[in-house]
Amino acid sequence: MEKQHSRAGSLSRRDFLKVSGITLTVPLVIGPRVLKVAGAEVKVFGPGRVPMTFTINGKTYRAELEPRVTLLDALRNEFELTGAKRVCDRGTCGACTVLLDGKPVYACSVLAIEAQGRAITTVEGLMQNGKLHPIQQAFIENDALQCGFCTPGFVVACKALLDRNPNPTPEDLVAGLGGNLCRCGTYVGIRAAIAQAARMQRGG
Amino acid sequence: MAERDAMEMAEYKWPEPERRRLIGKRISRVDGPEKVTGRAKYTYDVNRPGMLAGKILRCPYAHARIARLDTSAVEKMPGVQAVLPLKKVGDEILWAGDEVVAVAAVDEPTAEDAIRAIVVEYEKLPHFVLDTDPKAAGERARPAAEQVEGDPDAAFREAEVVAEGLYGMSLITHCCLEAHGAVVEWEGENNVLVHISTQAVSGIAGQMAGPLGVPAGNIRVKQEHIGGGFGSKFGPDSWGIAAARLSKMAGGRPVKIMLERDAELMVAGARPSYYGRVRVGAKRDGTVIAWESETWGTGGIPPTSPLPVPYVLRIPNQRKRHIAIVTNSGPARAWRAPLHPQACLLTMAALDDLAAALRMDPLDLLLKNIELAGERADVYREELQIAAELMEWKKRWHPRGDPSPGPIKRGLGVSIHTWPGRGHACRCDLTIHPDGSVEVKLGSQDLGTGTRTAIAIVVADTLGIPLEAVRVRIGDTQYPPAGGSGGSTTIGGVSSAARRAALDALDQLFARIAPLLNASPDQLEAWDGRIRVKGDPSRSIAWEHACARLDGMPLTVRGENPGPGELTTAGAAGVQMADVSVDIETGIVRINKMVAVQDCGLIINMKTAESQCYGAMIMGISYALYEEKIMDPVTGRMLNPNMEFYKLAGLADIGELVVHMMTGEKYDRRGVIGLGEPPVISPGAAISNAVANAIGVRVPFLPLTPERVLEALAKKGGSHARV
Amino acid sequence: MRAFEYVSPTTKEQAVALLSSTWGETEILAGGTDLLALMKDDVVRPRRLVNIKEIAELRGISFSASTGLRIGATVTLSELLDHPDVWRHYPALVQAARGVTSPQIRSMGTVGGDLCQRPRCWYFRSGFGLLARDQTGRSLVLEGDNRYHAILGNEGPAYFVNPSSLAPALIAYGARLRIFGPRGTREVLLERFFRIPKSEAEREYDLQPNEIVTEILVPPPPVGMVSATYEVRQREVLDWPLVTASVALVFDGQRVRSARVVLGQVAPIPWPSPEAERALVGKAVTEEVAQAAADAAVQRARSLGKNEYKIQLARVAVRRAIQQAVGGGTRR
Ligand SMILES: Cc1cc2nc3c(=O)[nH]c(=O)nc-3n(C[C@H](O)[C@H](O)[C@H](O)COP(=O)(O)OP(=O)(O)OC[C@H]3O[C@@H](n4cnc5c(N)ncnc54)[C@H](O)[C@@H]3O)c2cc1C
Ligand code: FES
Ligand code: FES
């Protein structure tokens, strides 16, 4: 027989101080505690809720979240930005892909707290003045989607790829979309879509 | 219907080719914009006011009894709103990952903390998860009755060539990208609102009514979009019921339970494994006369049923035995074309091995025996020829074992398949509004197959109006009930019901408009946004103006399937060919090209029909080469309940795919036939055969991993086995 | 994921002071691609995360012909791949980094994180510890499914494989690590950094819980060096290689003066093969010599039951890496 219950860690606050020679300053009434370490003050956030501010698709969003909340969960649960999907939650499928300062990342593998102060672009931010982005248009025309659950992740990954490389060769395509999976099997459409989007972007 | 008969209108049938402006064309799906912008809401995306997060504690053991269960600490945790034991002390657990306790809390982190604080003690019991050897299964092997047709013994004596082989495919999972799950809330004591990821919107309420103790009519079920089902999402599941109970305990607050990825792969469905030893006997000229098979496999606790072998080709003399192996590997569910991929592999691989023994091209062997396919033999013949051209089969095929130098060997393989796919029972309400807009409502669902779009196409084409004028509303039990989306029955069901509704609506509209145009109703037709007199287009009225004559009352008509007229039939036939490269030093298989030639009767939307075939081939490549629910003999657990080691094919793994849909009068005449499953059946067999053709030896089991390919090569004993 | 507190220091001194001296209490957060998964799977349960991405001196990448390549620990795989000098001088490293097929992982994952990432052994990842033993102490790897486990250095009790693709290439180039801790900076040869744990209390690399890898230093490429990485991978997308081999050969005219052959995914550590190296030194690289080196590399390999095929893959990877380095042979 085996018992399954929470195994509490063994570290008490005092141990912390002992092991790392940290001196604790008076905790602030609001906001993070501050530790004085190596001659500087370092803010300690959490483990409880922390006020956070984000720039998503050019707009400012605020929420109070624990440090353990991922960017993906913040987007989906706090800001109703549910385009990025949670599928594997482990950085192995690409359904949660968003751009951080223009680079593609798995939002499930970024802590929300780390994404503050960075430009976050989600699939919801790709339309310009109510018009579909050429990639989105090309996805529709080439039927690069079925159930559509992987689609937002692919669309954002395609955007990252074309932003970096407007003229992808077939090998570049593989390299650029090597972080996304689809279960319905829409890859033929996706290959056609990105080729068309690249042409459209070059043309206009 | 009575009204229609009375008016003695034209019968219910599909329009002639020249009357199809949308049907059969390449139409972009109507929900594309929502899906590419992230606006499409799936069950996973439903966030209701005051919603609680539900989580489930699962048993880590494959076979155990609950010895102690203590949730007291959790009940007091701040933020925890409801705790619901799903098992009690003494209950036996039969697979790892089975549900033990459900909790609802204010948010996911809190719910997770709560799960960790539950104390459960288990008494471990012996488990068994191995499925490749029935002899090792002991009393867990359950033989089924032997089936015999004709005189197999005499036929094998008569046979001049007999091929014998071992084939099979591992347990795999559905791995829907949107996990199973639901958001459930109570409105008062007696009404329940359910958002659920399901393939059967209209079927859920009836299944929840009993467990929840409320009439089915009080349960409203909704689903806008679904992120994959593949046969695994037909019920509310224990977690859907748990969500409802938790919600009730929490005063009706909505509770969302979506499975974590590991649970999704462990408990939310698997395709049973099947393995088999097969003997086939033939005359020297290739006439196949005898079949014998002993198969075995597992789908967890319920015994697996015998396979429909020999597949497609009815070999006259057969003997079949099957042994079900009962294991603790978790529940099985229907997986896209249940039993067919397995039956197809066992049959097509055995015939391929027979062709090798006969020194015949397997394509010729199939053609030689194609009459055994019965009614559809001519379709297969035509399809095999088209596929052969698209693959340049005759030019590129070589006998077993690519003789070219170097470690990369290339080979071709072929397989054929069938599927019934007749439209299911389905109702829809079609409303023509006085402003000319048209609405169709039905409790159906769009699995990504393009159901919405197909309905819109049928209605728009029938009414002679543009696609954009039709608004399709599905996914709600407040709409007329429609069958579940399984067995490739949806397209036939919804398109037939929609066609009937649109024809009837048109009749009623014609009756109103006829006097205006000085004609009788049966002289009218709807074309290009107008209602006009047949043969005299000058006497016509614009659609909007005609609708304005509805005196402010929308016109609503119910369409049904089944109904008068044969709008949908059964029996799709398809052929696939694969071209692979195998690195005989590493055992790695790559797809160069696959060809699918498929018939599905009348095609409603060529674009999404082709997508079905591409998608199915890709799914097929995935299970042929990569997918396996790896069960650990020691812990009894699935070792790869993640997307890292449960491997799905990626964009670069699929080679070039070619789809050819059979079209023309002969196919149209049969009405609409489902396409969801047929093209997923053959890839395993076609790829396995191509690998055998490349390397000169059969790799018995799918997935064709490097390990298995190298092992087969080593057994063959060729110098290739080691570098 | 369990709750934790989060700090984001701006100097390495602060970071070290914020780390505990006991494993398990604090963790260093770099790209998070591995760490967050480990935490979600409840394999590591830190009470505090120390984000090191705000520490300026851990960033940046530079090359000089005299001192070689310096890679800051938080340089991402994409930054590494964007650097022209890396392409010019260290092809085996480029090929290894490109083997991480996901652009998302490449733009998040750091070089330091790639070297310090934890094994992917499925028993470890489901909570049975690095040595994957059940309550009775028996090895789940030996009795269970070991298809992806070690074929070398597998005398036990550790049977997992080191997952880093970069490590074999960097070791082949003779890279060193600079590590900062409470006692200041130390340097260690990357090859010595990894070790096979003998007990559950040990980590698989030579690092104290309050030490940080700050830089990776790669010597300048010697004249006459050719190098390559060959990966055997099943899928082209989001997949781990089954086996990798990185080789760096320094030629003296037609003959190999010195050789490094390092295998990945075959042992609990990146596995340098002195046997393969000896088979190369002093010889011109013919097909036979490459084959002899490949055979030598797996001479001591041993199957655990289900991973026999990896011996063959390792042999092929070594031979093909050598052939690729000297220009020719089968490319994937
Ligand atoms: C699907 C998938 C496929 C992958 N395929 C490959 C592959 O083929 N080859 C390959 O090599 N990798 C592969 N990876 C792993 C990936 O490269 C690593 O996850 C990544 O490089 C880790 O970097 P990180 O910065 O995200 O590390 P983190 O996740 O932040 O940290 C990883 C570990 O290292 C520690 N750590 C990080 N930085 C330091 C430091 N400077 N000093 C001390 N300790 C530190 C952390 O505490 C943690 O324990 C794959 C990952 C995934 C999810
Ligand atoms: S959900 Fe983030 S990569 Fe799968
Ligand atoms: S479209 Fe369904 S998962 Fe990609």
Side-chain angles (χ1 to χ4, degrees), chain B residues 391-407:
Chain B
M391 190 52 107
E392 298 182 280
W393 180 283
K394 282 292 159 194
K395 186 171 125 209
R396 298 187 34 226
W397 183 81
H398 55 70
R400 279 236 169 134
D402 179 357
S404 56

Side-chain angles (χ1 to χ4, degrees), chain A residues 162-181:
Chain A
L162 289 186
D163 284 353
R164 218 183 119 90
N165 179 359
N167 249 323
T169 62
E171 291 76 51
D172 298 336
L173 251 179
V174 168
L177 297 178
N180 292 69
L181 292 171

Side-chain angles (χ1 to χ4, degrees), chain A residues 17 22-28 32-37 40-42:
Chain A
L17 305 185
I22 303 165
T23 41
L24 190 67
T25 61
V26 186
L28 298 180
R33 284 186 299 123
V34 172
L35 290 181
K36 190 131 202 222
V37 288
E41 294 194 336
V42 178

Side-chain angles (χ1 to χ4, degrees), chain C residues 70-91:
Chain C
R70 176 209 167 266
I71 310 168
T74 59
V75 164
T76 63
L77 300 187
S78 356
E79 286 164 352
L80 182 73
L81 284 172
D82 283 346
H83 205 279
D85 286 316
V86 177
W87 279 81
R88 204 166 301 135
H89 302 295
Y90 304 99

Side-chain angles (χ1 to χ4, degrees), chain A:
Chain A
M1 279 202 260
E2 190 190 71
K3 239 185 186 171
Q4 239 209 4
H5 57 93
S6 71
R7 276 183 263 171
S10 59
L11 183 72
S12 73
R13 188 71 52 217
R14 183 165 322 132
D15 290 335
F16 246 121
L17 305 185
K18 208 165 60 204
V19 294
S20 40
I22 303 165
T23 41
L24 190 67
T25 61
V26 186
L28 298 180
V29 182
I30 309 165
R33 284 186 299 123
V34 172
L35 290 181
K36 190 131 202 222
V37 288
E41 294 194 336
V42 178
K43 292 180 189 159
V44 181
F45 299 94
R49 287 174 185 259
V50 178
M52 299 187 199
T53 309
F54 305 94
T55 310
I56 308 167
N57 303 327
K59 291 201 212 90
T60 303
Y61 290 79
R62 290 195 174 81
E64 291 193 357
L65 303 169
E66 292 181 34
R68 61 170 150 169
V69 174
T70 62
L71 172 60
L72 178 64
D73 289 348
L75 293 170
R76 295 178 47 81
N77 301 339
E78 305 294 324
F79 307 135
E80 205 48 40
L81 292 165
T82 55
K85 302 294 185 232
R86 188 163 101 182
V87 171
C88 70
D89 207 23
R90 298 290 186 282
T92 55
C93 78
C96 63
T97 304
V98 301
L99 305 181
L100 262 195
D101 294 334
K103 300 206 181 81
V105 300
Y106 295 138
C108 70
S109 301
V110 178
L111 294 174
I113 196 167
E114 301 178 74
Q116 297 183 97
R118 307 180 63 180
I120 302 163
T121 309
T122 71
V123 70
E124 288 91 347
L126 296 198
M127 280 175 79
Q128 298 291 330
N129 312 319
K131 263 193 66 189
L132 292 175
H133 189 279
I135 294 171
Q136 294 172 316
Q137 193 60 46
F139 262 64
I140 297 173
E141 284 168 21
N142 294 281
D143 209 34
L145 61 143
Q146 287 194 30
C147 81
F149 211 68
C150 69
T151 308
F154 265 107
V155 167
V156 175
C158 283
K159 164 122 173 59
L161 168 60
L162 289 186
D163 284 353
R164 218 183 119 90
N165 179 359
N167 249 323
T169 62
E171 291 76 51
D172 298 336
L173 251 179
V174 168
L177 297 178
N180 292 69
L181 292 171
C182 168
R183 184 46 156 166
C184 300
T186 55
Y187 303 132
V188 174
I190 292 172
R191 288 197 293 221
I194 192 157
Q196 174 181 329
R199 277 197 307 276
M200 278 164 72
Q201 283 193 335
R202 279 199 302 276

